[in-house]
Amino acid sequence: MHRFVSFTLDGITNGMIYAAVAMALVLIWRATRIVNFAQGAMAMVTTYVAVSLVDRHVSYWFAFTVALVAGLVLGALVERTLIRPVENKSPLVHIIVTLGLLVALEAGAGLIWGGRFRSFPAPFSIVGLKVGRSQIALSPFDIFTIAAVVVVMVGLLVLFHRTAVGLRMRAAAFEPEVARLLGVRVGRVLTLGWALAALAGSLAGLLVAPKLFLYPNNMDAVLVFGFTAAILGGLDSPVGALVGGLVIGLSLSYVGGYLGSDTESIGAFVILIVVLMVRPGGLFTRVNPRRV
């Protein structure tokens, strides 16, 4: 029973990180109908920005804030300089651009910061709490991780469903020409969507770095699991991203805990295949199934 509880708590914590990456992918998909394969690499770069500041004895929270702002700026720059020029091209061009950005960012990070594994500080203890005489797999940093992702999730839901900006973002994503006729500045709205997505991705990078260490490819596996979570959730729904992240996190924890860590990736893909066979559009979509 103690192992099951430990695997569950560990799965919830990791699932919230996958949910943050999935939310970033969902934001961009809702804004521009593009899957950003460079999302993890963008998060890695902003995490390096944070650790560079920490190395210069800047406080963790200031570096944390700067990294999130850097994510906002990076997302806006990518949209304006790389995505905007090809917005009317075929989906294949979008895929090539984001994959090219992924390779460029990881190679650039290696040149600037080196390829070695680096530790990343955590603002709270990463040692599991003691309950009675037992130690559980839930540390103060895990609680911070869960709370941070929940706050971002609630903020996005309020933005999309309770604000005029969210309404403009949805209109620009689904009917850009109609939105333009109604006076919506679609270009600015799309830039905002990419900026917010990069912020969510930066948060995931900052939360995962204390556990995985930091190196140019540290977000590759996280992106794969986050992408799987987004697909499970339907790719259009922030709530679906959260649920998909938790499903993937818990599944990986149980599979890795009981069957061995080598089987984790296989477990994730089995879940993805089963869900897509039963419900091709994902768990939280109400539109016609899409081909993946």
Side-chain angles (χ1 to χ4, degrees):
M1 187 62 186
H2 184 269
R3 292 184 68 197
F4 177 78
V5 173
S6 296
F7 295 153
T8 301
L9 294 174
D10 188 57
I12 291 174
T13 304
N14 291 333
M16 296 302 276
I17 294 173
Y18 303 145
V21 176
M23 277 193 293
L25 294 171
V26 166
L27 274 172
I28 291 178
W29 177 258
R30 291 180 69 137
T32 56
R33 320 311 284 177
I34 292 174
V35 175
N36 181 17
F37 292 100
Q39 191 67 66
M42 293 167 65
M44 172 271 297
V45 168
T46 56
T47 308
Y48 265 116
V49 171
V51 80
S52 297
L53 292 174
V54 171
D55 288 346
R56 289 166 174 75
H57 308 292
V58 174
S59 74
Y60 174 88
W61 292 113
F62 182 78
F64 185 91
T65 304
V66 170
L68 295 181
V69 174
L72 274 171
V73 175
L74 180 60
L77 283 175
V78 168
E79 196 280 332
R80 292 301 298 268
T81 59
L82 297 179
I83 303 302
R84 186 78 61 89
V86 299
E87 63 177 342
N88 295 320
K89 304 293 183 182
S90 71
L92 180 61
V93 175
H94 301 157
I95 293 173
I96 292 172
V97 169
T98 56
L99 286 176
L101 179 61
L102 163 68
V103 174
L105 289 177
E106 291 186 346
L111 290 173
I112 297 172
W113 290 289
R116 64 186 176 88
F117 286 48
R118 300 188 57 173
S119 61
F120 189 84
F124 305 102
S125 172
I126 59 173
V127 178
L129 297 170
K130 279 193 173 182
V131 178
R133 296 183 178 179
S134 300
Q135 190 171 39
I136 62 174
L138 184 70
S139 68
F141 182 70
D142 293 333
I143 296 173
F144 169 70
T145 297
I146 295 171
V149 176
V150 169
V151 168
V152 172
M153 171 67 65
V154 172
L156 291 178
L157 288 175
V158 172
L159 173 69
F160 277 117
H161 297 287
R162 294 287 186 270
T163 67
V165 174
L167 181 61
R168 294 191 187 100
M169 292 179 69
R170 285 189 289 164
F174 289 101
E175 295 291 348
E177 296 306 322
V178 175
R180 285 191 179 93
L181 292 175
L182 293 174
V184 176
R185 306 188 73 165
V186 174
R188 290 188 179 183
V189 171
L190 298 183
T191 301
L192 176 63
W194 272 79
L196 292 175
L199 183 148
S202 298
L203 176 65
L206 292 167
L207 295 177
V208 78
K211 291 186 174 181
L212 293 184
F213 293 103
L214 180 60
Y215 54 97
N217 304 97
N218 79 322
M219 290 295 290
D220 286 356
V222 179
L223 177 66
V224 171
F225 296 138
F227 180 70
T228 306
I231 294 295
L232 286 179
L235 204 54
D236 262 324
S237 168
V239 176
L242 176 63
V243 174
L246 289 174
V247 169
I248 292 297
L250 288 169
S251 301
L252 293 179
S253 184
Y254 293 141
V255 171
Y258 288 114
L259 301 180
S261 58
D262 293 338
T263 61
E264 284 186 354
S265 299
I266 298 175
F269 286 112
V270 168
I271 294 168
L272 178 62
I273 291 172
V274 170
V275 171
L276 290 180
M277 290 178 65
V278 176
R279 194 173 172 81
L283 298 175
F284 283 80
T285 185
R286 287 178 290 184
V287 299
N288 292 329
R290 72 172 60 86
R291 295 179 179 178
V292 177

